[in-house]
Amino acid sequence: MSATLNMIREHAEEGAKLRLAFFENNAGPIDELALALARCLADGGKILICGNGGSAADAQHMSGELLGRFVMERPSLPAVALSVDTSTLTAVGNDYGFDDVFARQVNGLGRAGDALVVFSTSGRSPNIIRALEAARNLGLLTVGLTGKGGGLMPPLCDFMLDVPSTKTPLIQEIHEACLHLVCGLVDHYLFTEPGALRAASL
């Protein structure tokens, strides 16, 4: 087998083992997270989402699934990706610094009862930590998708999904699967089995 084919096989095998172990260990927390986000939306809240680099793409992906649709036909769900407004990002970055580009938006857009979902493979990005701190101060539900132990995020997150790997690409692949699952489960609780959502709220 050539070196490149061996690289492909090793990546696929390592990713498959990591994915299986992660979802075996985190099925319950993922379900609880989806239920909490569904409850947030059912109560009139919205979901703010942010990340840097590839994680910004994950944030935009998740907001797109909620605002548009994931699989089933249903009403649009309120979600905002905080990395897409270049005028706001550059204005805040220029006037206050890049560390505040998400926190400033959380302070302006967030209300108690909303949720903030952050993607950070290291859990140490200053702008992500400040966004979580701002969300905490405002009374938002805080959710972190991370890896490598979560860095500084654990005490700031009501829910945290930590991929046990030091390899950023593999962590991001699991994050993608998580956001798909969460969006599908949110749809299930809101539109397929709303009785379960009402029962869980009692």
Side-chain angles (χ1 to χ4, degrees):
M1 182 179 295
S2 71
T4 51
L5 292 180
N6 192 53
M7 289 172 61
I8 293 168
R9 180 174 180 174
E10 287 179 355
H11 180 86
E13 288 180 347
E14 185 176 3
K17 290 177 183 177
L18 178 64
R19 180 185 177 111
L20 181 60
F22 176 84
F23 287 112
E24 283 181 345
N25 293 328
N26 290 278
I30 290 169
D31 187 38
E32 292 171 7
L33 165 58
L35 182 60
L37 291 177
R39 187 180 296 116
C40 164
L41 294 168
D43 290 342
K46 61 183 173 295
I47 301 176
L48 308 178
I49 319 169
C50 62
N52 294 293
S55 293
D58 289 336
Q60 292 168 220
H61 185 168
M62 185 173 183
S63 70
E65 302 289 19
L66 293 168
L67 285 165
R69 66 177 181 189
F70 179 55
V71 175
M72 68 183 297
E73 288 291 343
R74 44 85 170 145
S76 179
L77 299 174
V80 182
L82 303 181
S83 57
V84 299
D85 185 344
T86 54
S87 293
T88 295
L89 292 173
T90 53
V92 174
N94 185 63
D95 294 343
Y96 298 95
F98 189 68
D99 290 354
D100 287 319
V101 293
F102 298 137
R104 190 80 178 171
Q105 293 183 77
V106 170
N107 283 322
L109 298 171
R111 299 292 182 270
D114 291 343
L116 173 69
V117 177
V118 305
F119 291 84
S120 175
T121 59
S122 70
R124 297 185 177 278
S125 300
N127 58 7
I128 294 296
I129 300 305
R130 290 197 185 184
L132 287 169
E133 291 170 344
R136 280 286 206 196
N137 290 336
L138 290 170
L140 276 68
L141 179 76
T142 53
V143 179
L145 285 86
T146 186
K148 308 172 186 177
L152 302 174
M153 286 171 49
L156 298 171
C157 293
D158 297 307
F159 293 90
M160 194 177 81
L161 298 175
D162 176 20
V163 181
S165 174
T166 59
K167 296 184 177 180
T168 296
L170 293 179
I171 295 170
Q172 290 177 328
E173 288 172 22
I174 301 296
H175 286 177
E176 284 275 327
C178 285
L179 76 86
H180 281 158
L181 275 170
V182 168
C183 289
L185 290 168
V186 165
D187 284 357
H188 173 80
Y189 280 121
L190 288 175
F191 303 107
T192 302
E193 196 177 355
L197 180 60
R198 289 194 295 271
S201 300
L202 297 178

